[in-house]
């Protein structure tokens, strides 16, 4: 009985001692927690629309340390890492007693360290709290910290922190930075050889750096492969094939794309959260290469800027602010996509578009290209020559200056500027000056982004979208607006799609326009297919003159190459919409046969007639509006002459309201003959009879 009583007392005392020890450890754990910040200090990342890395910025202490999640890393690499470093990682509580016992036994029998007993949790403890020495006390502290870490983090979180903090030589920390630097790719799809090298590096990162100690790195990789075979994670043949792969001695720079946009995003940086742009990495890579190659050919001090946007959304998919951000000779740090410059002839399509809207011209309308004087303003063509009578189509395709100004005089510079502002673009005029005819030839300031935004309307059926790339404030307004009506818009597309590509360029199925500013300071080319718009600027950032610079010779080849290198599939240009008035020259009504001129040879600001005349549809025309389909199109009605306001009637029934404009729309009830009539403010009338189908 006494013996049993003593045993009971001893057991109770042991239990109390154990409980007291546990309580003490609990309190110690609470009093001295491991330094586990909620968020690691990592590099700020700027990513593309799909989450791919465009650019990273080093941490404040100068390290490339990219936050890593397990789903960003090749699974086989993780399996190899765990097998090599801590094969019972998923089962222990921070300390692998069996591994420690094995390491101690090997040390006792050989007199030196044969293998370590550290777990990945213990290695993470060392990474977050570097030890000052390799003493036994430091090892015990690591073990205790590992136990603390295991209580606070899941196995997955421990692995992710290790993969983010592990050293890989120099200022590289984490497997993502190492994979990008040594292999030029993210660690999502590593080869067996690459995985083995990344497993080996963190043990002796400086000694095994492949860019400095290639033979040592090669041998370390092979030891990992041998271990994987003995652990039956790899077959002998697979390991042998991996051992034949070369180990590169090159350390690459980390991705540095979209430099200007990336730096503009930095004020938005939140620790641990990547910044996201609308850019697509593959598009950006292609455009930057095109810009670099072009600048090299163009010569010193010249730069190239490019913007590629999706006309349906306004998303910028690629933007190049300069040919080389770090090239001081080209002032590469200046983002030329946002610098105001003279646009040359690139605004001409919108001048003619307004003329089509107002019913002043058709594509085959003849216009005089000869010297003219607009109250002292005497525009001249780029080549200083004149063509005489040309069609509107030829005038725009050849980018003749005099016809463009004649048409602008008729539609009105103020109306053109108002349409630009409606589309979200505000061109810069000289101080205290009203819009004048010179704006048609570049006498106004715009940015490359402005131009691309305007041209999104041409690619998108006449509707523009505000461009955005992600650098804008969160509350920035995004708007859409009509720059041209659908039918006038198609007329411009049809004309520009017929412009001859530059010599040697691949046929791309795009419509485009070029421009050259006064004094050969800026060369432009803006083109589009049925969805994407690409704008190109070439020139000197200091606005210096460049003899021989021109939009067609200098910028257009870059435009076509940019479309090819962007990797985007060509979207066909839109087809001819129902109801578009596009007759042959011999079929033009008298009022559209020639663009009108007064007795002194100056184009009249408005077309006046003794009575209104319906110019579209022509009398007796057959117009296909798709009346038998569910989405039948309305018929656009256009007139010249008369005095506003006007009232329209269809088959004797008035259309809703009266209008001061010389255009209107009518939705017929069905197919067949109809009579359309317009009555002006003086009571004068005009009628046409048409057949709608």
């Amino acid at each position: 009985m006494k013996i049993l009583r003593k045993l009971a007392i001893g057991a109770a005392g042991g239990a109390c001692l154990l409980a007291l020890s546990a309580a003490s450890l609990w309190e110690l754990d609470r009093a001295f927690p491991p330094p586990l910040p909620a968020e690691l200090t990592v590099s700020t990342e700027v990513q593309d629309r799909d989450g791919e890395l465009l650019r990273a910025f080093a941490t404040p202490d100068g390290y490339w340390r990219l936050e890593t999640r397990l789903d960003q890393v090749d699974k086989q690499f993780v399996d190899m890492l765990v097998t090599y470093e801590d094969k019972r990682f998923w089962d222990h509580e921070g300390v692998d007693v069996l591994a420690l016992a094995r390491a101690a036994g090997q040390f006792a029998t050989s007199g030196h360290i044969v293998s370590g007993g550290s777990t990945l949790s213990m290695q993470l403890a060392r990474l977050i709290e570097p030890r000052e020495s390799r003493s036994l006390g430091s090892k015990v502290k690591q073990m205790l910290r590992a136990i603390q870490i295991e209580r606070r983090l899941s196995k997955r979180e421990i692995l992710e922190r290790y993969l983010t903090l592990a050293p890989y030589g120099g200022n590289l920390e984490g497997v993502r930075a190492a994979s990008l630097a040594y292999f030029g790719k993210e660690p999502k799809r590593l080869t067996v050889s690459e995985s083995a090298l990344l497993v080996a590096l963190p043990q002796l990162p400086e000694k095994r750096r492949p860019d400095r100690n290639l033979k040592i790195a090669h041998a370390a990789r092979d030891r990992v492969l041998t271990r994987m075979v003995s652990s039956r994670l790899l077959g002998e043949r697979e390991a042998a094939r991996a051992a034949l792969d070369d180990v590169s001695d090159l350390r690459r720079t980390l991705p540095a794309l979209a430099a200007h946009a990336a730096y503009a995003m930095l004020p938005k940086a939140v620790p641990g959260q990547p910044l996201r742009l609308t850019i697509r990495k593959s598009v950006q890579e292609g455009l930057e290469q095109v810009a670099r190659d072009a600048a090299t050919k163009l010569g010193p001090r010249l730069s190239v800027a490019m913007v590629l946007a999706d006309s349906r959304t306004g998303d910028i998919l690629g933007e190049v602010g300069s040919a080389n951000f770090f090239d001081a000779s080209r002032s590469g740090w200046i983002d030329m996509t946002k610098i105001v410059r003279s646009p040359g002839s690139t605004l001409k399509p919108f001048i003619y578009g307004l003329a089509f809207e107002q019913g002043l011209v058709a594509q085959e309308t003849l216009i005089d290209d000869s010297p003219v004087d607009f109250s002292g303003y005497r525009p001249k063509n780029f080549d200083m020559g004149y063509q005489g009578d040309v069609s509107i189509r030829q005038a725009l395709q050849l980018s003749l200056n005099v016809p463009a100004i004649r048409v602008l005089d008729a539609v009105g510079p103020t109306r053109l500027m108002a349409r630009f502002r409606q589309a979200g673009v505000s061109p810069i005029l000289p101080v205290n000056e009203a819009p004048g005819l010179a704006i048609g030839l570049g006498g106004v300031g715009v940015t490359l982004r402005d131009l691309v935004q305007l041209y999104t309307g041409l690619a998108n059926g006449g509707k523009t979208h505000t461009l955005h790339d992600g650098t804008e404030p969160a509350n920035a307004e995004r708007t859409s607006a009509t720059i041209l009506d659908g039918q006038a818009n198609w007329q411009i597309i049809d004309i520009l799609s017929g412009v001859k590509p530059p010599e040697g360029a691949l046929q791309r199925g795009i419509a485009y326009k070029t421009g050259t500013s006064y004094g050969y300071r800026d060369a432009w080319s803006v083109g589009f297919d049925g969805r994407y718009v690409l704008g190109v600027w070439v020139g000197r950032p200091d606005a210096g003159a460049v003899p021989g610079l021109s939009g067609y010779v200098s910028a257009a080849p870059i435009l076509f190459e940019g479309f090819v290198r962007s990797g985007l599939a060509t979207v066909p240009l839109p087809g001819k919409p129902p109801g578009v008035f596009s007759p042959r020259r011999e079929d033009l009504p008298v009022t559209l046969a020639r663009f009108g001129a007064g007795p002194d040879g100056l184009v009249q600001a408005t077309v006046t007639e003794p009575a209104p005349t319906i110019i579209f549809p022509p009398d007796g025309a057959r117009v296909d509006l798709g009346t038998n389909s569910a989405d039948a199109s309305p018929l656009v009605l256009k007139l010249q002459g008369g005095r506003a306001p006007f009232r329209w009637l269809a088959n004797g029934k008035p259309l809703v309201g009266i209008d001061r404009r010389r255009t209107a729309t009518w939705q017929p009830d069905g197919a067949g003959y109809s009579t359309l009539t317009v009555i002006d403010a003086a009571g004068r009338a005009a009628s046409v009879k048409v057949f709608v189908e």
Side-chain angles (χ1 to χ4, degrees):
M1 289 293 292
K2 289 183 178 181
I3 295 175
L4 291 174
R5 188 176 180 181
K6 288 181 179 179
L7 288 174
I9 293 172
C16 290
L17 182 61
L18 184 62
L20 184 62
S21 299
S24 299
L25 289 173
W26 175 267
E27 288 301 322
L28 287 171
D29 179 61
R30 292 180 59 189
F32 302 100
L36 286 173
E39 297 288 345
L40 297 175
T41 301
V42 295
S43 296
T44 297
E45 295 184 42
V46 180
Q47 299 178 350
D48 81 342
R49 62 192 299 114
D50 301 314
E52 293 193 55
L53 182 64
L54 290 172
R55 190 180 188 91
F57 295 90
T59 61
D61 52 356
Y63 282 88
W64 297 109
R65 184 186 304 130
L66 305 179
E67 187 170 22
T68 306
R69 303 186 310 273
L70 280 182
D71 60 8
Q72 295 175 299
V73 182
D74 190 286
K75 184 179 182 302
Q76 187 176 45
F77 163 76
V78 176
D79 293 340
M80 292 173 68
L81 173 68
V82 171
T83 300
Y84 190 80
E85 291 285 356
D86 187 0
K87 64 182 179 180
R88 282 177 286 275
F89 170 73
W90 301 104
D91 301 316
H92 63 64
E93 298 296 327
V95 177
D96 187 346
V97 178
L98 294 177
L100 286 175
R102 183 202 67 231
Q106 291 171 338
F107 179 78
T109 55
S110 64
H112 63 274
I113 297 175
V114 177
S115 64
S118 293
T119 63
L120 287 170
S121 304
M122 292 170 63
Q123 293 183 46
L124 177 59
R126 186 174 73 248
L127 291 172
I128 64 175
E129 200 172 24
R131 62 190 179 188
E132 298 178 359
S133 65
R134 297 175 62 88
S135 65
L136 180 60
S138 296
K139 197 73 171 180
V140 171
K141 182 179 179 180
Q142 268 183 38
M143 294 166 62
L144 294 174
R145 286 300 197 198
I147 294 171
Q148 288 182 298
I149 289 171
E150 292 268 350
R151 291 185 58 197
R152 288 166 169 80
L153 301 178
S154 67
K155 292 289 188 179
R156 183 183 182 91
E157 290 171 328
I158 291 171
L159 259 181
E160 289 180 338
R161 292 210 174 200
Y162 174 83
L163 293 173
T164 299
L165 297 174
Y168 281 90
N171 64 344
L172 297 176
E173 289 192 354
V175 69
R176 286 185 61 211
S179 183
L180 289 165
Y182 295 133
F183 311 135
K185 64 180 182 180
E186 292 276 0
K188 183 67 175 177
R189 293 179 179 84
L190 297 170
T191 66
V192 173
S193 172
E194 291 166 346
S195 294
L197 180 62
L198 293 181
V199 167
L201 285 178
Q203 288 79 47
L204 295 168
E206 292 302 324
K207 186 176 181 181
R208 295 176 178 176
R209 283 180 60 173
D211 60 323
R212 293 189 176 180
N213 303 298
L214 183 60
K215 290 184 178 179
I216 296 176
H218 198 287
R221 180 205 64 178
D222 290 348
R223 284 195 295 273
V224 173
L225 292 173
T226 301
R227 177 85 68 84
M228 294 304 103
V229 173
S230 63
S231 300
R232 299 184 179 180
L233 189 64
L234 293 178
E236 290 185 4
R237 289 185 178 181
E238 186 178 13
R241 286 195 298 270
L244 294 175
D245 291 345
D246 291 332
V247 175
S248 173
D249 61 353
L250 177 66
R251 173 174 166 171
R252 301 164 178 81
T253 58
L254 267 63
L257 297 168
H260 298 90
Y263 276 102
M265 288 291 281
L266 282 181
K268 293 185 174 185
V270 176
Q273 295 183 17
L275 301 166
R276 188 68 63 90
L277 292 168
T278 63
I279 285 171
R280 182 172 293 160
K281 184 177 182 180
S282 59
V283 173
Q284 186 69 25
E285 287 176 325
L287 295 187
E288 290 196 14
Q289 187 61 55
V290 169
R292 284 194 296 270
D293 294 345
T296 301
K297 293 179 182 178
L298 288 166
R301 305 179 72 179
L302 282 165
S303 193
V304 176
M306 308 172 77
V307 174
L308 191 152
D310 185 338
S311 69
R312 300 178 188 176
T313 62
D315 288 354
I316 293 177
L317 303 181
E319 55 184 336
V320 181
S322 64
N324 187 333
F325 184 82
F326 298 103
D327 189 343
S329 69
R330 304 181 196 272
S331 301
W333 62 87
I334 300 177
D335 184 356
M336 295 305 300
T337 70
K338 299 179 180 179
I339 301 300
V340 174
R341 305 298 280 261
S342 166
S345 297
T346 56
L347 300 181
K348 287 177 181 175
F350 304 100
I351 298 173
Y352 288 101
L354 288 180
F356 278 109
E357 267 192 16
Q358 297 175 36
L360 301 180
V361 298
Q363 288 197 32
E364 294 302 323
T365 298
L366 291 178
I367 189 168
D368 183 23
D369 177 32
S370 62
V372 64
D373 188 324
F374 293 92
S375 302
Y377 178 56
R378 302 179 179 87
K380 295 179 175 61
N381 289 325
F382 184 76
D383 62 359
M384 305 303 290
Y386 298 93
Q387 303 286 326
D389 279 352
V390 294
S391 69
I392 291 294
R393 181 180 181 88
Q394 292 170 326
L396 179 53
Q397 288 182 342
L398 297 174
S399 196
L400 300 176
N401 290 343
V402 174
I405 298 305
R406 290 184 185 273
V407 175
L408 179 59
D409 187 50
V411 301
T414 301
R415 181 173 295 171
L416 180 66
M417 290 290 286
R419 195 63 65 93
F420 289 158
R421 294 189 184 99
Q422 179 180 315
V425 171
S426 297
I428 306 301
L429 290 166
V431 178
N432 297 325
E433 282 198 18
L437 295 178
I439 67 175
L441 303 182
V444 68
V446 298
T447 68
L448 179 58
R449 283 178 62 139
D450 288 337
L451 272 181
V452 172
Q453 182 162 319
L454 291 175
Y455 274 74
T456 61
L458 296 180
N460 192 43
K463 180 174 288 188
T464 63
H465 285 283
T466 302
L467 296 192
H468 53 273
D469 60 6
T471 62
E472 302 81 14
N475 59 352
E477 185 179 4
R478 297 182 184 178
T479 61
S480 62
T482 299
I483 185 75
L484 292 173
D485 73 35
Q487 297 193 10
N489 195 76
W490 180 85
Q491 300 279 10
I492 299 303
I493 293 175
D494 188 52
I495 294 173
L496 294 183
S497 64
V499 178
K500 182 182 177 182
E503 185 177 352
L506 295 175
Q507 291 288 346
R508 178 73 185 182
I510 64 173
Y512 81 107
K513 182 73 183 73
T514 61
T516 308
S517 70
Y518 177 78
Y520 303 97
R521 289 176 170 82
D522 310 275
W524 306 85
S525 186
V526 190
F528 56 93
D529 61 14
R531 179 165 186 172
Y532 304 109
V533 182
L534 175 59
V536 176
W537 169 88
V538 177
R540 283 177 47 167
D542 63 0
V546 184
L549 188 74
S550 76
Y552 187 76
V553 173
S554 307
I558 301 174
L559 174 81
F560 278 77
E561 183 66 15
F563 265 115
V564 172
R565 297 289 287 274
S566 72
L568 296 170
T570 303
V571 179
L573 291 165
K576 184 176 181 180
V580 168
F581 181 49
S582 187
R584 297 174 300 175
R585 181 171 301 169
E586 56 267 28
D587 296 330
L588 286 171
V590 174
T591 53
L592 287 179
R594 175 178 290 276
F595 191 74
D600 58 357
L602 298 181
V603 177
Q604 301 300 298
T606 59
V607 180
T608 59
E609 298 286 346
T613 303
I614 298 175
I615 62 169
F616 186 77
D619 190 35
R622 297 179 69 93
V623 184
D624 183 5
L625 298 178
T627 53
N628 294 325
S629 64
D631 55 348
S633 301
L635 178 63
V636 176
L637 313 175
K638 299 182 180 181
L639 66 90
Q640 284 184 348
R643 185 189 307 165
F646 306 99
R647 181 179 294 278
W648 288 87
L649 300 92
N651 299 318
K653 296 180 180 180
L655 304 185
V656 176
I658 57 176
D659 203 331
R660 302 192 65 83
R661 297 175 300 175
R662 286 181 165 77
T663 61
T665 57
W666 167 58
Q667 186 73 58
D669 297 331
Y673 282 102
S674 293
T675 300
L676 302 172
T677 302
V678 65
I679 304 172
D680 75 351
R684 297 169 295 182
S687 296
V688 294
K689 191 172 185 179
V690 297
F691 185 85
V692 175
E693 54 187 352

